Amino acid sequence: AQSVSQHNHHVILSEAASLELGCNYSYGGTVNLFWYVQYPGQHLQLLLKYFSGDPLVKGIKGFEAEFIKSKFSFNLRKPSVQWSDTAEYFCAVSFSGSARQLTFGSGTQLTVLP
Amino acid sequence: ETGVTQSPTHLIKTRGQQVTLRCSSQSGHNTVSWYQQALGQGPQFIFQYYREEENGRGNFPPRFSGLQFPNYSSELNVNALELDDSALYLCASSQPPGTGDADTQYFGPGTRLTVL
């Protein structure tokens, strides 16, 4: 079965530090890739997505992600985090032929210290 | 534009009971997917509805069932509730297949179900 792994369960950073959250998936076929964010008390919001084309995608709030097909990875990055980025981040993948269902990683809790 | 809405916000049931959760899709979206998010985990796909029919199902038993109505709203029904069914239930909607953003799902706030 296809799976998605997020190896960092909890990341703690100081404001202005750089962020990189890892995401790997297990599937050799065509995929659509997503990062969602869940701020405290709020619902899941789409940060960015990759379907095809330029493997470096930019999302909202200064986030970006790079798709590396050979490594089955879609890591999320932000050059300088802010306290307001404190949230849980989920990587999600839809696999070809899966009726567009999303398979999520277990999430990474990011805490940014002021 | 109204986003995805879900009701109720919270629900407490006892083991063995049945529950119905409701979802209204975002305007222009005719596909609805349901997910279960247990505490500390990522959402898990339950099933998807398109044109009032089930269009894909995850690894959930038959006591999890659903409906989609002509206005694209949807219900999730769970029979014979078990303690492990305690979770946040998320509904997501997406545009019709073949449209530009059809593969993107937009989530509602969820229903927090507690089974005692």
Side-chain angles (χ1 to χ4, degrees):
Chain A
Q2 298 92 347
S3 64
V4 178
S5 298
Q6 291 181 246
H7 303 294
N8 311 104
H9 296 295
H10 195 180
V11 172
I12 302 174
L13 296 173
S14 298
E15 274 194 316
S18 64
L19 170 72
E20 181 159 2
L21 301 182
C23 173
N24 289 89
Y25 61 93
S26 62
Y27 183 68
T30 303
V31 293
N32 292 329
L33 300 158
F34 306 83
W35 276 96
Y36 285 87
V37 62
Q38 194 167 33
Y39 297 103
Q42 297 188 28
H43 60 280
L44 274 172
Q45 299 174 36
L46 181 68
L47 262 183
L48 48 77
K49 60 188 176 184
Y50 172 80
F51 292 168
S52 63
D54 188 344
L56 184 62
V57 293
K58 295 191 184 300
I60 61 172
K61 305 187 180 188
F63 286 91
E64 64 179 30
E66 184 176 13
F67 171 50
I68 303 179
K69 190 174 181 179
S70 61
K71 294 185 178 180
F72 301 95
S73 71
F74 189 56
N75 292 354
L76 180 71
R77 300 195 291 248
K78 187 172 184 179
S80 176
V81 295
Q82 300 173 319
W83 176 78
S84 59
D85 293 325
T86 295
E88 187 146 25
Y89 292 80
F90 292 95
C91 178
V93 182
S94 67
F95 304 97
S96 60
S98 68
R100 296 183 285 157
Q101 71 183 63
L102 293 175
T103 299
F104 282 83
S106 56
T108 297
Q109 175 64 49
L110 171 66
T111 300
V112 180
L113 303 175
Chain B
E1 182 180 278
T2 306
V4 179
T5 60
Q6 293 185 243
S7 63
T9 307
H10 296 88
L11 205 50
I12 299 175
K13 292 285 188 178
T14 56
R15 198 169 43 182
Q17 284 188 309
Q18 177 264 343
V19 68
T20 297
L21 311 181
R22 295 178 175 83
C23 169
S24 292
S25 62
Q26 187 169 316
S27 175
H29 291 188
N30 67 354
T31 302
V32 173
S33 302
W34 285 92
Y35 293 81
Q36 180 195 67
Q37 186 178 11
L39 201 60
Q41 298 182 23
Q44 282 196 291
F45 175 73
I46 303 174
F47 43 55
Q48 182 182 92
Y49 276 83
Y50 171 60
R51 290 185 175 175
E52 302 177 50
E53 292 191 358
E54 189 177 287
N55 180 44
R57 188 179 184 93
N59 190 25
F60 280 81
R63 58 189 186 85
F64 285 78
S65 63
L67 283 174
Q68 186 180 33
F69 300 99
N71 67 353
Y72 309 134
S73 66
S74 176
E75 285 183 356
L76 164 65
N77 299 290
V78 187
N79 293 321
L81 283 167
E82 301 178 0
L83 297 179
D84 285 349
D85 295 333
S86 294
L88 182 67
Y89 288 85
L90 298 169
C91 171
S93 71
S94 50
Q95 289 183 357
T99 57
D101 201 26
D103 290 328
T104 302
Q105 296 186 25
Y106 296 89
F107 285 82
T111 293
R112 172 73 61 188
L113 173 65
T114 302
V115 182
L116 302 176

